[in-house]
C-alpha cells in the first residue's frame, strides 16, 4: 500500500510548537505501474516475488530481513521498480515456518536460490542476495556454502552466526556468545549494547565466524560507523584483512559516518532508539539525522549499481 506522509510547518522552534503555518500530504508508492506481486508457496519456501513490468528476463535478487520474523516486502518491491526480479523471503515466524528455530538450515535458502534460477523471468546463471543485520549474515553464510550466488550486498551484518546457528549437510556453525552484562546504561531509559558480542576473530568466538574465504561471489559491505547493535565497521575491516591475506579481492566496503544500525532505502525515517533485536529492551541503534539521510540515498544507488554490474 502507498505510504502517506503528513508534512506540517509550525511557527517557532521550541519545545512547544506555535500555530500551523502550512501542511501537505505526500504519497509514496511502493509498486510502480506494471510491477507484479506474486505470493510464493513452493515446497518449503514462503516468500513474495516482485517482477518488473514486461515479459523480459531480469537479474534476480533474494532479499532477506533481520531478526523479528515474518515477511517484509517494502525493499523488495522497490528493487523491482528498478528492474530486478526480487524475492522477499521469510525464514521464521511466518505461516507454517518455525516460530523459534533451533538452527537455520541453509538447504531452505538453497531451495529459494533454485526457485529463482528455474523461474522463466530470472536471468541466470546466478542470483544476488541483499540482507540486513541477521538477514545479511544469512546471505554471507549462503555465499560461503551454496552454489550460484553471484553477488551479495550486506547491510550492517554480523560476520559470525548470532542467536540462531547455521547448518548445511554435515557442517554446523555455532552461535557466538552474547554477554548481556556488558550492556551499558546510558540513562534510566535505554542501553548501549555495542560490546556484547564475542569477537569472532579471537577464540572462542572464531568458531562462529562464517568462512567467507570460501565465497566466490562479489561482496559489498555497507556499514554504519555509528552502529550500536553490531560493530559493523570493525567486523568488516577485520574480515577483509583476512580475505586480502588469502589473495582475495572480491569485496568492497561502503562505510558511512553518523549512520546507525538501520540502513533502509532512502527517505525512511531515522529511529536512533529502538528495541534490541535479541534482548528486546530499549537500545541505542545509532545514527544522526543528516548523515543517516545522506547515507541512505547514497547506499541505495550504490547497491543497485553493484547488482547491475555483477548480475
Amino acid at each position: 500500500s502507498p505510504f502517506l506522509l503528513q508534512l506540517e510547518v509550525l511557527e517557532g522552534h521550541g519545545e512547544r510548537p506555535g500555530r500551523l503555518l502550512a501542511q501537505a500530504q505526500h504519497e509514496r508508492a511502493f509498486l510502480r505501474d506494471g510491477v507484479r506481486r506474486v505470493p510464493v508457496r513452493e515446497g518449503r519456501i514462503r516468500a513474495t516475488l516482485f517482477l518488473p513490468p514486461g515479459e523480459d528476463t531480469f537479474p534476480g535478487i533474494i532479499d532477506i530481513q533481520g531478526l523479528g520474523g515474518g515477511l517484509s516486502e517494502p525493499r523488495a518491491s522497490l528493487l523491482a521498480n528498478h528492474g530486478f526480479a526480487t524475492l522477499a523471503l521469510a525464514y521464521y515466524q511466518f505461516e507454517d515456518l518455525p516460530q523459534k528455530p533451533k538452527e537455520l538450515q541453509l538447504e531452505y535458502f538453497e531451495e529459494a536460490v533454485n526457485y529463482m534460477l528455474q523461474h522463466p523471468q530470472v536471468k541466470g546463471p546466478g542470483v544476488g542476495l541483499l540482507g540486513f543485520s541477521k538477514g545479511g549474515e544469512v546471505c554471507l553464510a549462503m555465499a560461503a556454502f551454496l552454489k550460484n550466488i553471484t553477488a551479495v550486498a550486506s547491510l550492517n551484518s554480523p560476520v559470525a552466526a548470532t542467536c540462531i546457528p547455521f547448518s548445511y549437510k554435515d557442517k554446523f556453525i555455532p552461535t557466538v556468545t552474547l554477554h548481556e552484562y556488558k550492556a551499558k546504561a546510558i540513562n534510566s531509559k535505554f542501553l548501549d549494547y555495542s560490546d556484547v558480542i564475542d569477537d569472532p576473530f579471537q577464540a572462542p568466538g572464531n568458531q562462529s565466524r562464517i568462512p567467507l574465504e570460501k565465497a566466490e561471489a562479489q561482496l559489498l559491505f555497507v556499514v554504519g560507523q555509528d552502529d550500536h547493535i553490531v560493530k559493523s565497521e570493525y567486523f568488516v575491516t577485520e574480515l577483509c584483512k583476512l580475505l586480502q591475506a588469502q589473495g582475495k579481492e572480491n569485496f568492497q566496503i561502503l562505510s558511512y559516518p553518523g549512520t546507525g544500525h538501520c540502513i533502509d532505502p532512502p527517505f525512511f525515517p531515522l529511529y536512533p532508539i529502538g528495541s534490541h533485536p535479541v534482548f528486546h529492551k530499549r537500545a541505542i541503534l545509532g545514527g544522526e539525522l543528516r548523515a543517516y539521510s545522506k547515507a541512505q540515498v547514497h547506499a541505495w544507488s550504490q547497491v543497485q549499481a553493484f547488482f547491475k554490474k555483477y548480475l
Side-chain angles (χ1 to χ4, degrees):
S1 305
F3 186 63
L4 287 176
L5 202 59
Q6 185 73 27
L7 301 166
E8 296 181 340
V9 181
L10 303 161
E11 194 169 46
H13 186 74
E15 281 296 304
R16 287 191 164 166
R19 67 195 172 95
L20 185 67
L21 300 178
Q23 64 177 344
Q25 209 174 52
H26 175 61
E27 183 177 277
R28 296 189 60 201
F30 283 90
L31 287 185
R32 61 175 254 226
D33 290 348
V35 173
R36 283 159 295 156
R37 178 185 176 278
V38 185
V40 178
R41 305 290 182 272
E42 293 264 338
R44 290 189 295 170
I45 304 169
R46 303 292 173 261
T48 304
L49 177 64
F50 292 93
L51 290 166
E55 298 305 313
D56 295 344
T57 59
F58 306 101
I61 296 173
I62 299 174
D63 180 29
I64 304 178
Q65 288 295 337
L67 286 174
L71 178 59
S72 173
E73 300 182 358
R75 194 170 57 196
S77 68
L78 294 172
L79 277 172
N81 294 343
H82 292 280
F84 298 99
T86 312
L87 186 76
L89 181 65
Y91 57 103
Y92 77 111
Q93 282 180 11
F94 182 72
E95 294 184 358
D96 56 352
L97 292 173
Q99 283 299 301
K100 290 188 172 172
K102 299 264 187 297
E103 59 185 54
L104 292 181
Q105 297 173 343
L106 291 178
E107 286 85 349
Y108 172 76
F109 301 94
E110 190 169 40
E111 225 174 288
V113 172
N114 294 337
Y115 168 80
M116 288 295 274
L117 291 174
Q118 285 158 15
H119 194 284
Q121 284 195 266
V122 173
K123 181 171 92 181
V127 296
L129 306 175
L130 172 62
F132 160 67
S133 195
K134 177 71 180 180
E137 177 198 308
V138 171
C139 292
L140 296 175
M142 290 169 74
F145 291 104
L146 306 183
K147 293 187 177 73
N148 302 317
I149 312 290
T150 307
V152 178
S154 116
L155 312 171
N156 279 338
S157 309
V159 296
T162 57
C163 310
I164 313 168
F166 292 109
S167 69
Y168 183 62
K169 295 179 179 167
D170 58 347
K171 299 182 183 72
F172 184 79
I173 302 185
T175 54
V176 72
T177 307
L178 305 183
H179 304 279
E180 192 174 4
Y181 73 89
K182 290 187 176 178
K184 300 182 195 79
I186 298 306
N187 57 27
S188 60
K189 292 200 183 109
F190 44 84
L191 294 149
D192 185 345
Y193 286 96
S194 306
D195 290 318
V196 300
I197 303 178
D198 259 351
D199 190 331
F201 298 97
Q202 290 170 19
N206 53 8
Q207 297 157 9
S208 304
R209 188 177 68 77
I210 295 161
L212 270 162
E213 53 278 11
K214 295 181 179 173
E216 311 253 304
Q218 291 293 324
L219 307 170
L220 173 67
F221 297 101
V222 180
V223 300
Q225 293 177 15
D226 192 37
D227 184 349
H228 285 256
I229 299 297
V230 177
K231 282 172 141 175
S232 314
E233 193 182 30
Y234 167 71
F235 286 171
V236 166
T237 309
E238 290 303 304
L239 174 69
C240 291
K241 279 185 202 162
L242 275 182
L243 294 177
Q244 249 173 337
Q246 302 209 6
K248 306 276 271 188
E249 290 178 358
N250 59 331
F251 59 85
Q252 50 188 301
I253 303 173
L254 288 173
S255 185
Y256 295 101
T259 301
H261 186 58
C262 302
I263 299 181
D264 288 315
F267 320 120
F268 276 75
L270 166 65
Y271 38 113
I273 307 290
S275 175
H276 190 280
V278 180
F279 302 116
H280 307 295
K281 292 179 182 164
R282 287 184 62 70
I284 296 181
L285 306 179
E288 176 271 308
L289 187 59
R290 184 181 293 260
Y292 170 84
S293 304
K294 283 185 173 173
Q296 292 200 134
V297 172
H298 187 264
W300 184 239
S301 66
Q302 294 300 302
V303 164
Q304 288 173 54
F306 169 75
F307 283 130
K308 284 196 173 117
K309 180 174 178 183
Y310 292 110
L311 298 179

